[in-house]
Amino acid sequence: MLKYASIALALAALGVAQQQEWQQCGGIGWAGATACVSGTVCTVMNDYYSQCLPGTAPAGPSSTSSTAPSAPSTPAGSLPRLGGVNTSGYDFSVATNGSFSGTGVSPPVSQYPHFTAEGANLYRIHFAWQLMTPTLGGSIDSGFFSEYDQTVQAALSSGPNVYVIVDLHNYARWNGGIIAQGGPTDAQFQSIWTQLAQKYGSNERIIFGIMNEPHDLNSISTWVNSVQGVVNAVRAAGSQNYLLLPGSSYSSAQTFPTEAGPLLVLVTDPLGGTSKLVFDVHKYLDSDNSGTHPDCTTDNVQVLQTLVQFLQQNGNRQAILSETGGGNTASCESLLSNELAYVKSAYPNLIGFSVWAAGAFDTTYVLSVTPNPDGSDQPLWVDAVQPNLP
Ligand SMILES: *[C@@H]1O[C@H](CO)[C@@H](O)[C@H](O)[C@H]1NC(C)=O
Ligand SMILES: CC(=O)N[C@H]1CO[C@H](CO)[C@@H](O)[C@@H]1O
């Protein structure tokens, strides 16, 4: 801190470029400007990342000892700080209308020890609803479950503190119909989660992502009612797992405070309290927030600050950024790094992140963080993700 503060003063005097609020201003390997604009202070977040945070620069040498905010300890009942990656495969060919035409592909299990050794402690493992229960509302397919569970166990066993998000990747739909809005019934939605709760309810390191990216809902309050139904069903099955509750607009972190958030904060947990109900949000960094372009145009810090403010004002709740990511490009390496450093600094309101994507995606996929065949990592992983892991 001292070092960066004095360099900052020197550079400012020379008229060298200053970093804007929330931008990086130092850290191992950082070659950019280390001065921050007025009203912000270059603050050490970790060895790899210093950031211009709001505040006033210390007046004299005697007060240059201002320190980085110390890592907040885990609040009672909260998940620890989490960071990791989506490992895709069992979701391949789920369309945004909830139809499925594939067979499922197992993510390579070698990725779990690989990323865990680098500090990751979270894996989101998606599946198509149609693979888990081939008949809507019917029983879990034992063949598919055994394959899926081998992947989940491989992830969990890669480290003692690793968590897995079991993610139903169906956009609140089955074959075009929306849950409780013309498509599957609430009872059918509850049925798959009751069965998964019976299988995974005893493992506290398994988090239930009850639905990926609901979108274009007819009624958000009907959707929130469906969410409440699943919370109740999972608890009735005896599970105490953490639950991820998604809003609308593809789980948009941006629309959450004004769209689904005000209703989702009212969902109750039969266990009491709300510490095990975590909001599930997604945000990409490309021009249309789709996560389909190699270049990034925003670091989303303002969007996430607004989200954090909403969480704090509504009972000091928690959210997790379970999808975010970008291409292996200079713009994404810099902007994703800013974003993830902010996420890390906003714990415990933001529990952590999971980057899209590795797993069965190959290294040519536009948003790939799948390791190369020689075991080396993608530049985005090395420059933006790894430094911001817990
Ligand atoms: C869903 O979308 C897929 C891919 O766009 C399309 O092939 C399929 O016909 C759609 N299904 C329904 C039921 O709308
Ligand atoms: C941004 C992104 O990569 N989204 C992906 C979400 O998951 C579906 C199903 O695997 C993919 O088709 C999308 O590309």
Side-chain angles (χ1 to χ4, degrees):
M1 177 60 210
L2 242 173
K3 179 176 146 205
Y4 294 125
S6 48
I7 292 171
L9 284 174
L11 293 179
L14 294 169
V16 170
Q18 292 184 315
Q19 294 297 87
Q20 300 300 311
E21 192 176 58
W22 303 113
Q23 288 187 329
Q24 185 169 3
C25 53
I28 293 169
W30 174 246
T34 53
C36 291
V37 291
S38 152
T40 69
V41 185
C42 188
T43 306
V44 178
M45 310 302 294
N46 58 50
D47 289 349
Y48 294 89
Y49 195 75
S50 299
Q51 190 181 23
C52 300
L53 296 182
T56 313
S62 62
S63 52
T64 50
S65 58
S66 68
T67 47
S70 57
S73 54
T74 306
S78 170
L79 286 162
R81 195 183 251 144
L82 297 175
V85 62
N86 286 278
T87 52
S88 282
Y90 301 125
D91 55 315
F92 281 175
S93 91
V94 178
T96 56
N97 64 18
S99 72
F100 174 70
S101 52
T103 53
V105 181
S106 293
V109 291
S110 59
Q111 288 179 10
Y112 301 118
H114 173 94
F115 289 128
T116 298
E118 295 176 337
N121 65 350
L122 179 66
Y123 300 101
R124 186 165 176 258
I125 306 180
H126 331 95
F127 64 90
W129 194 345
Q130 289 91 337
L131 279 174
M132 195 64 88
T133 63
T135 305
L136 180 59
S139 300
I140 285 181
D141 181 85
S142 58
F144 175 71
F145 182 77
S146 125
E147 190 183 338
Y148 180 81
D149 186 51
Q150 277 176 28
T151 305
V152 168
Q153 299 306 332
L156 289 174
S157 62
S158 68
N161 303 311
V162 168
Y163 286 73
V164 164
I165 299 173
V166 169
D167 165 53
L168 174 49
H169 210 79
N170 268 67
Y171 305 91
R173 285 164 171 81
W174 174 290
N175 297 355
I178 304 174
I179 295 167
Q181 308 189 27
T185 62
D186 278 329
Q188 289 166 332
F189 184 29
Q190 289 162 24
S191 168
I192 184 169
W193 280 113
T194 297
Q195 295 177 70
L196 286 167
Q198 286 160 352
K199 293 188 180 294
Y200 284 137
S202 60
N203 193 331
E204 62 178 22
R205 290 197 283 133
I206 293 181
I207 301 167
F208 294 158
I210 70 169
M211 182 56 70
N212 178 67
E213 298 196 347
H215 66 92
D216 299 290
L217 304 170
N218 301 321
S219 161
I220 291 174
S221 64
T222 302
W223 169 245
V224 171
N225 189 55
S226 299
V227 169
Q228 180 73 68
V230 168
V231 173
N232 295 348
V234 163
R235 297 305 183 225
S239 135
Q240 303 198 359
N241 303 62
Y242 287 90
L243 305 177
L244 303 190
L245 312 187
S248 49
S249 298
Y250 296 90
S251 302
S252 166
Q254 186 154 7
T255 64
F256 189 87
T258 52
E259 240 175 42
L263 290 175
L264 275 179
V265 296
L266 304 175
V267 171
T268 56
D269 189 339
L271 290 178
T274 52
S275 64
K276 291 199 155 171
L277 305 183
V278 175
F279 304 118
D280 194 6
V281 298
H282 294 175
K283 191 79 181 73
Y284 287 91
L285 302 84
D286 51 356
S287 51
D288 60 0
N289 184 38
S290 66
T292 56
H293 303 95
D295 294 309
C296 293
T297 60
T298 172
D299 65 9
N300 291 322
V301 168
Q302 287 184 347
V303 165
L304 294 171
Q305 281 180 292
T306 304
L307 174 66
V308 165
Q309 207 167 39
F310 173 85
L311 295 169
Q312 290 175 343
Q313 288 167 356
N314 285 274
N316 209 20
R317 300 293 298 273
Q318 296 179 289
I320 188 162
L321 185 61
S322 70
E323 279 189 32
T324 189
N328 284 287
T329 57
S331 60
C332 292
E333 284 156 29
S334 148
L335 292 168
L336 183 66
S337 176
N338 288 356
E339 178 192 88
L340 298 183
Y342 176 73
V343 170
K344 190 168 182 179
S345 73
Y347 183 84
N349 291 110
L350 299 182
I351 287 172
F353 62 85
S354 170
V355 168
W356 190 275
F361 280 120
D362 73 20
T363 57
T364 62
Y365 168 61
V366 62
L367 263 51
S368 188
V369 291
T370 295
N372 295 311
D374 68 1
S376 61
D377 281 295
Q378 299 306 320
L380 187 74
W381 181 269
V382 174
D383 293 339
V385 183
Q386 212 176 337
N388 293 303
L389 289 171

